[in-house]
Amino acid sequence: VVVQTETGGYLCFRQRKYGVPEPMLALVGGYLKPGEAPLAAAQRELREETGCIAEDWLELGHFLVDPNRGVATGSLFLARGARRVGAVDSDDLEEQEVVLLSRQQLEQALARGEFKILAWAMAVALALRV
């Protein structure tokens, strides 16, 4: 989920992954619970990971992650007008810092390769086209 706040900034996380030596930018995301629709999962993850909700959701697309094995579909969304309504309630074990970027900073971070995960880079690129 690419998260645009009601003031126009973009919420991201700065975090580390075991296989990447330097910190990277990350987006809100997670996995579907049994029977859960992709949009409902995205909305749940936004609330859990940031304490925010958004009323305006734009579907950026659904993409096969590993079509040769027939597993994993990535569903990408832009949440617009996000606002904090409560505390973070995440079960993520990763340490992460919330960062607020302007559109220009988001564009620059994408161009510099700060989103190291393909799905995150793709989601940002698609959201910036809107």
Short mmCIF file of all heavy atoms in Angstrom, two decimals, residues 75-122:
data_model
loop_
_atom_site.label_atom_id
_atom_site.label_comp_id
_atom_site.label_asym_id
_atom_site.label_seq_id
_atom_site.Cartn_x
_atom_site.Cartn_y
_atom_site.Cartn_z
N SER A 75 -1.23 -7.62 -4.74
CA SER A 75 -2.29 -6.64 -4.96
C SER A 75 -1.80 -5.31 -4.44
O SER A 75 -1.45 -5.18 -3.26
CB SER A 75 -3.56 -7.06 -4.22
OG SER A 75 -4.03 -8.30 -4.72
N LEU A 76 -1.76 -4.31 -5.33
CA LEU A 76 -1.18 -3.02 -4.99
C LEU A 76 -2.27 -1.96 -4.93
O LEU A 76 -3.16 -1.93 -5.78
CB LEU A 76 -0.12 -2.64 -6.03
CG LEU A 76 0.96 -3.69 -6.30
CD1 LEU A 76 1.92 -3.19 -7.37
CD2 LEU A 76 1.69 -4.06 -5.03
N PHE A 77 -2.16 -1.07 -3.94
CA PHE A 77 -3.17 -0.04 -3.72
C PHE A 77 -2.51 1.29 -3.38
O PHE A 77 -1.42 1.33 -2.81
CB PHE A 77 -4.09 -0.42 -2.55
CG PHE A 77 -4.91 -1.65 -2.80
CD1 PHE A 77 -4.46 -2.89 -2.40
CD2 PHE A 77 -6.14 -1.56 -3.44
CE1 PHE A 77 -5.21 -4.04 -2.62
CE2 PHE A 77 -6.90 -2.69 -3.67
CZ PHE A 77 -6.44 -3.93 -3.26
N LEU A 78 -3.24 2.36 -3.66
CA LEU A 78 -2.91 3.70 -3.18
C LEU A 78 -4.01 4.11 -2.23
O LEU A 78 -5.20 4.11 -2.61
CB LEU A 78 -2.82 4.68 -4.36
CG LEU A 78 -2.70 6.16 -4.00
CD1 LEU A 78 -1.44 6.45 -3.19
CD2 LEU A 78 -2.73 7.01 -5.27
N ALA A 79 -3.64 4.39 -0.99
CA ALA A 79 -4.59 4.88 0.01
C ALA A 79 -4.41 6.40 0.09
O ALA A 79 -3.32 6.86 0.43
CB ALA A 79 -4.32 4.23 1.36
N ARG A 80 -5.45 7.14 -0.24
CA ARG A 80 -5.34 8.61 -0.25
C ARG A 80 -6.12 9.21 0.92
O ARG A 80 -7.18 8.71 1.29
CB ARG A 80 -5.87 9.16 -1.57
CG ARG A 80 -5.02 8.72 -2.74
CD ARG A 80 -5.46 9.37 -4.04
NE ARG A 80 -6.65 8.70 -4.56
CZ ARG A 80 -7.01 8.73 -5.84
NH1 ARG A 80 -6.29 9.38 -6.72
NH2 ARG A 80 -8.10 8.11 -6.24
N GLY A 81 -5.56 10.29 1.47
CA GLY A 81 -6.22 10.97 2.57
C GLY A 81 -6.09 10.25 3.89
O GLY A 81 -6.95 10.38 4.77
N ALA A 82 -5.01 9.51 4.07
CA ALA A 82 -4.83 8.74 5.31
C ALA A 82 -4.70 9.67 6.51
O ALA A 82 -4.05 10.71 6.43
CB ALA A 82 -3.60 7.84 5.20
N ARG A 83 -5.32 9.25 7.60
CA ARG A 83 -5.24 10.01 8.85
C ARG A 83 -5.16 9.04 10.02
O ARG A 83 -5.73 7.96 9.99
CB ARG A 83 -6.42 10.96 8.98
CG ARG A 83 -7.75 10.26 9.02
CD ARG A 83 -8.91 11.25 9.02
NE ARG A 83 -10.17 10.58 8.75
CZ ARG A 83 -10.86 9.85 9.63
NH1 ARG A 83 -10.40 9.69 10.86
NH2 ARG A 83 -12.00 9.28 9.28
N ARG A 84 -4.44 9.49 11.03
CA ARG A 84 -4.25 8.65 12.22
C ARG A 84 -5.51 8.64 13.06
O ARG A 84 -6.10 9.68 13.32
CB ARG A 84 -3.08 9.15 13.06
CG ARG A 84 -2.80 8.28 14.27
CD ARG A 84 -1.57 8.74 15.01
NE ARG A 84 -0.39 8.39 14.25
CZ ARG A 84 0.33 7.29 14.46
NH1 ARG A 84 0.00 6.47 15.42
NH2 ARG A 84 1.39 7.04 13.73
N VAL A 85 -5.91 7.44 13.48
CA VAL A 85 -7.09 7.29 14.32
C VAL A 85 -6.79 6.49 15.59
O VAL A 85 -7.66 6.35 16.44
CB VAL A 85 -8.26 6.62 13.56
CG1 VAL A 85 -8.74 7.51 12.43
CG2 VAL A 85 -7.89 5.24 13.07
N GLY A 86 -5.58 5.98 15.71
CA GLY A 86 -5.25 5.18 16.87
C GLY A 86 -3.79 4.81 16.90
O GLY A 86 -2.99 5.28 16.08
N ALA A 87 -3.46 3.94 17.81
CA ALA A 87 -2.08 3.49 17.98
C ALA A 87 -1.74 2.39 16.98
O ALA A 87 -2.62 1.71 16.47
CB ALA A 87 -1.87 2.98 19.41
N VAL A 88 -0.46 2.23 16.74
CA VAL A 88 0.03 1.13 15.92
C VAL A 88 -0.23 -0.17 16.67
O VAL A 88 -0.01 -0.26 17.88
CB VAL A 88 1.54 1.31 15.62
CG1 VAL A 88 2.11 0.08 14.94
CG2 VAL A 88 1.75 2.56 14.79
N ASP A 89 -0.70 -1.19 15.95
CA ASP A 89 -1.00 -2.49 16.55
C ASP A 89 -0.45 -3.58 15.64
O ASP A 89 -1.18 -4.42 15.13
CB ASP A 89 -2.51 -2.65 16.73
CG ASP A 89 -2.87 -3.95 17.43
OD1 ASP A 89 -2.03 -4.50 18.15
OD2 ASP A 89 -4.01 -4.42 17.23
N SER A 90 0.86 -3.52 15.42
CA SER A 90 1.48 -4.43 14.47
C SER A 90 2.17 -5.58 15.19
O SER A 90 2.74 -5.40 16.26
CB SER A 90 2.52 -3.66 13.64
OG SER A 90 3.17 -4.52 12.75
N ASP A 91 2.13 -6.75 14.55
CA ASP A 91 2.86 -7.90 15.10
C ASP A 91 4.18 -8.11 14.36
O ASP A 91 4.82 -9.14 14.51
CB ASP A 91 2.00 -9.16 15.05
CG ASP A 91 1.59 -9.53 13.63
OD1 ASP A 91 1.94 -8.81 12.68
OD2 ASP A 91 0.90 -10.55 13.48
N ASP A 92 4.59 -7.11 13.55
CA ASP A 92 5.85 -7.22 12.83
C ASP A 92 7.01 -7.26 13.82
O ASP A 92 7.04 -6.50 14.79
CB ASP A 92 6.06 -6.04 11.88
CG ASP A 92 5.14 -6.11 10.67
OD1 ASP A 92 4.62 -7.19 10.39
OD2 ASP A 92 4.97 -5.07 10.02
N LEU A 93 7.95 -8.12 13.54
CA LEU A 93 9.13 -8.24 14.41
C LEU A 93 10.26 -7.34 13.94
O LEU A 93 11.24 -7.18 14.65
CB LEU A 93 9.59 -9.70 14.45
CG LEU A 93 8.56 -10.70 14.98
CD1 LEU A 93 9.10 -12.11 14.89
CD2 LEU A 93 8.18 -10.35 16.41
N GLU A 94 10.13 -6.75 12.76
CA GLU A 94 11.18 -5.91 12.22
C GLU A 94 11.14 -4.53 12.86
O GLU A 94 10.07 -3.98 13.11
CB GLU A 94 11.01 -5.76 10.70
CG GLU A 94 11.06 -7.07 9.97
CD GLU A 94 10.54 -6.94 8.55
OE1 GLU A 94 9.62 -6.17 8.30
OE2 GLU A 94 11.09 -7.65 7.71
N GLU A 95 12.32 -3.99 13.11
CA GLU A 95 12.39 -2.61 13.57
C GLU A 95 12.21 -1.71 12.37
O GLU A 95 12.82 -1.92 11.33
CB GLU A 95 13.74 -2.33 14.22
CG GLU A 95 13.89 -2.94 15.59
CD GLU A 95 15.17 -2.50 16.27
OE1 GLU A 95 15.59 -1.34 16.07
OE2 GLU A 95 15.74 -3.33 16.97
N GLN A 96 11.34 -0.73 12.50
CA GLN A 96 11.13 0.19 11.40
C GLN A 96 10.79 1.57 11.94
O GLN A 96 10.17 1.70 12.99
CB GLN A 96 10.05 -0.32 10.45
CG GLN A 96 8.76 -0.72 11.09
CD GLN A 96 7.86 -1.47 10.11
OE1 GLN A 96 8.30 -1.97 9.10
NE2 GLN A 96 6.59 -1.54 10.42
N GLU A 97 11.21 2.57 11.19
CA GLU A 97 10.96 3.96 11.53
C GLU A 97 9.99 4.52 10.49
O GLU A 97 10.20 4.36 9.29
CB GLU A 97 12.29 4.72 11.49
CG GLU A 97 12.17 6.20 11.52
CD GLU A 97 13.46 6.91 11.12
OE1 GLU A 97 14.44 6.26 10.70
OE2 GLU A 97 13.48 8.15 11.23
N VAL A 98 8.96 5.19 10.93
CA VAL A 98 8.01 5.83 10.02
C VAL A 98 8.64 7.12 9.51
O VAL A 98 9.17 7.91 10.30
CB VAL A 98 6.67 6.12 10.70
CG1 VAL A 98 5.73 6.87 9.77
CG2 VAL A 98 6.02 4.84 11.19
N VAL A 99 8.60 7.32 8.20
CA VAL A 99 9.09 8.55 7.60
C VAL A 99 7.99 9.14 6.73
O VAL A 99 7.22 8.40 6.10
CB VAL A 99 10.39 8.35 6.78
CG1 VAL A 99 11.54 7.97 7.68
CG2 VAL A 99 10.21 7.32 5.70
N LEU A 100 7.90 10.45 6.71
CA LEU A 100 6.94 11.16 5.88
C LEU A 100 7.70 11.87 4.78
O LEU A 100 8.58 12.69 5.06
CB LEU A 100 6.14 12.16 6.72
CG LEU A 100 5.07 12.95 5.98
CD1 LEU A 100 3.97 12.03 5.43
CD2 LEU A 100 4.46 14.01 6.88
N LEU A 101 7.40 11.53 3.53
CA LEU A 101 8.10 12.09 2.39
C LEU A 101 7.16 12.95 1.56
O LEU A 101 5.97 12.62 1.42
CB LEU A 101 8.65 10.99 1.49
CG LEU A 101 9.58 9.95 2.13
CD1 LEU A 101 9.95 8.88 1.11
CD2 LEU A 101 10.83 10.62 2.68
N SER A 102 7.69 14.02 1.00
CA SER A 102 6.94 14.79 0.02
C SER A 102 6.89 13.98 -1.28
O SER A 102 7.64 13.00 -1.44
CB SER A 102 7.60 16.14 -0.23
OG SER A 102 8.85 15.94 -0.89
N ARG A 103 6.07 14.40 -2.22
CA ARG A 103 6.04 13.72 -3.52
C ARG A 103 7.42 13.76 -4.17
O ARG A 103 7.88 12.76 -4.71
CB ARG A 103 4.99 14.35 -4.43
CG ARG A 103 4.90 13.63 -5.77
CD ARG A 103 3.91 14.29 -6.71
NE ARG A 103 3.93 13.63 -7.99
CZ ARG A 103 3.11 12.67 -8.36
NH1 ARG A 103 2.18 12.25 -7.53
NH2 ARG A 103 3.20 12.12 -9.56
N GLN A 104 8.07 14.91 -4.11
CA GLN A 104 9.40 15.04 -4.71
C GLN A 104 10.40 14.09 -4.03
O GLN A 104 11.20 13.43 -4.70
CB GLN A 104 9.90 16.47 -4.64
CG GLN A 104 11.26 16.67 -5.28
CD GLN A 104 11.74 18.10 -5.22
OE1 GLN A 104 11.22 18.92 -4.48
NE2 GLN A 104 12.77 18.39 -5.99
N GLN A 105 10.36 14.01 -2.72
CA GLN A 105 11.26 13.10 -1.99
C GLN A 105 10.96 11.65 -2.35
O GLN A 105 11.88 10.84 -2.46
CB GLN A 105 11.13 13.32 -0.49
CG GLN A 105 11.70 14.63 -0.02
CD GLN A 105 11.34 14.92 1.44
OE1 GLN A 105 10.22 14.66 1.88
NE2 GLN A 105 12.31 15.44 2.18
N LEU A 106 9.68 11.31 -2.52
CA LEU A 106 9.30 9.95 -2.90
C LEU A 106 9.85 9.64 -4.29
O LEU A 106 10.42 8.56 -4.51
CB LEU A 106 7.78 9.80 -2.86
CG LEU A 106 7.26 8.39 -3.09
CD1 LEU A 106 7.60 7.48 -1.91
CD2 LEU A 106 5.75 8.42 -3.31
N GLU A 107 9.68 10.55 -5.22
CA GLU A 107 10.21 10.37 -6.58
C GLU A 107 11.73 10.18 -6.55
O GLU A 107 12.26 9.30 -7.24
CB GLU A 107 9.85 11.56 -7.46
CG GLU A 107 8.38 11.65 -7.80
CD GLU A 107 7.99 12.95 -8.48
OE1 GLU A 107 8.83 13.89 -8.57
OE2 GLU A 107 6.84 13.04 -8.94
N GLN A 108 12.41 11.00 -5.76
CA GLN A 108 13.87 10.90 -5.68
C GLN A 108 14.30 9.59 -5.05
O GLN A 108 15.26 8.96 -5.50
CB GLN A 108 14.43 12.09 -4.88
CG GLN A 108 14.30 13.40 -5.61
CD GLN A 108 14.60 14.60 -4.73
OE1 GLN A 108 14.65 14.51 -3.50
NE2 GLN A 108 14.80 15.76 -5.36
N ALA A 109 13.61 9.15 -4.01
CA ALA A 109 13.94 7.88 -3.35
C ALA A 109 13.75 6.72 -4.33
O ALA A 109 14.59 5.80 -4.37
CB ALA A 109 13.06 7.68 -2.11
N LEU A 110 12.69 6.75 -5.12
CA LEU A 110 12.48 5.71 -6.12
C LEU A 110 13.61 5.73 -7.15
O LEU A 110 14.17 4.68 -7.47
CB LEU A 110 11.12 5.91 -6.81
CG LEU A 110 10.76 4.91 -7.91
CD1 LEU A 110 10.65 3.50 -7.33
CD2 LEU A 110 9.48 5.33 -8.60
N ALA A 111 13.97 6.90 -7.63
CA ALA A 111 15.04 7.03 -8.63
C ALA A 111 16.39 6.57 -8.09
O ALA A 111 17.21 6.02 -8.83
CB ALA A 111 15.12 8.47 -9.12
N ARG A 112 16.62 6.77 -6.79
CA ARG A 112 17.89 6.35 -6.17
C ARG A 112 17.91 4.87 -5.81
O ARG A 112 18.92 4.36 -5.34
CB ARG A 112 18.16 7.18 -4.92
CG ARG A 112 18.61 8.59 -5.16
CD ARG A 112 19.13 9.24 -3.89
NE ARG A 112 18.15 9.25 -2.82
CZ ARG A 112 17.33 10.27 -2.53
NH1 ARG A 112 17.37 11.37 -3.25
NH2 ARG A 112 16.48 10.19 -1.54
N GLY A 113 16.81 4.19 -5.99
CA GLY A 113 16.76 2.76 -5.67
C GLY A 113 16.63 2.47 -4.19
O GLY A 113 17.04 1.41 -3.73
N GLU A 114 16.01 3.37 -3.44
CA GLU A 114 15.87 3.16 -2.00
C GLU A 114 14.78 2.14 -1.66
O GLU A 114 14.73 1.64 -0.54
CB GLU A 114 15.61 4.48 -1.29
CG GLU A 114 16.82 5.40 -1.33
CD GLU A 114 16.61 6.66 -0.52
OE1 GLU A 114 16.08 6.58 0.61
OE2 GLU A 114 16.98 7.74 -1.03
N PHE A 115 13.90 1.85 -2.62
CA PHE A 115 12.91 0.77 -2.45
C PHE A 115 13.55 -0.47 -3.06
O PHE A 115 13.56 -0.63 -4.28
CB PHE A 115 11.59 1.12 -3.14
CG PHE A 115 10.86 2.25 -2.49
CD1 PHE A 115 11.02 3.56 -2.94
CD2 PHE A 115 10.02 2.03 -1.41
CE1 PHE A 115 10.35 4.61 -2.34
CE2 PHE A 115 9.35 3.08 -0.80
CZ PHE A 115 9.52 4.38 -1.27
N LYS A 116 14.11 -1.33 -2.25
CA LYS A 116 14.90 -2.47 -2.73
C LYS A 116 14.05 -3.67 -3.14
O LYS A 116 14.54 -4.58 -3.80
CB LYS A 116 15.88 -2.93 -1.64
CG LYS A 116 16.79 -1.85 -1.10
CD LYS A 116 17.84 -1.49 -2.10
CE LYS A 116 18.81 -0.49 -1.47
NZ LYS A 116 19.53 0.26 -2.47
N ILE A 117 12.79 -3.70 -2.74
CA ILE A 117 11.90 -4.80 -3.05
C ILE A 117 11.10 -4.42 -4.31
O ILE A 117 10.51 -3.33 -4.37
CB ILE A 117 10.95 -5.09 -1.87
CG1 ILE A 117 11.72 -5.32 -0.57
CG2 ILE A 117 10.01 -6.25 -2.19
CD1 ILE A 117 12.62 -6.52 -0.57
N LEU A 118 11.07 -5.30 -5.28
CA LEU A 118 10.43 -5.01 -6.56
C LEU A 118 8.98 -4.55 -6.40
O LEU A 118 8.55 -3.57 -7.02
CB LEU A 118 10.50 -6.23 -7.48
CG LEU A 118 9.83 -6.10 -8.84
CD1 LEU A 118 10.45 -4.98 -9.66
CD2 LEU A 118 9.90 -7.41 -9.59
N ALA A 119 8.20 -5.24 -5.59
CA ALA A 119 6.78 -4.88 -5.43
C ALA A 119 6.64 -3.47 -4.87
O ALA A 119 5.73 -2.73 -5.27
CB ALA A 119 6.08 -5.89 -4.52
N TRP A 120 7.52 -3.07 -3.96
CA TRP A 120 7.43 -1.72 -3.39
C TRP A 120 7.77 -0.68 -4.44
O TRP A 120 7.08 0.32 -4.56
CB TRP A 120 8.35 -1.59 -2.20
CG TRP A 120 8.03 -2.47 -1.05
CD1 TRP A 120 6.82 -3.07 -0.77
CD2 TRP A 120 8.91 -2.88 -0.02
NE1 TRP A 120 6.91 -3.82 0.38
CE2 TRP A 120 8.19 -3.72 0.87
CE3 TRP A 120 10.24 -2.63 0.27
CZ2 TRP A 120 8.75 -4.28 1.99
CZ3 TRP A 120 10.80 -3.20 1.40
CH2 TRP A 120 10.06 -4.02 2.25
N ALA A 121 8.84 -0.91 -5.19
CA ALA A 121 9.23 0.03 -6.23
C ALA A 121 8.12 0.16 -7.28
O ALA A 121 7.79 1.26 -7.73
CB ALA A 121 10.54 -0.40 -6.87
N MET A 122 7.54 -0.96 -7.65
CA MET A 122 6.47 -0.95 -8.65
C MET A 122 5.25 -0.20 -8.14
O MET A 122 4.64 0.59 -8.86
CB MET A 122 6.10 -2.38 -9.03
CG MET A 122 5.04 -2.47 -10.08
SD MET A 122 4.77 -4.19 -10.50
CE MET A 122 3.39 -4.03 -11.58
#
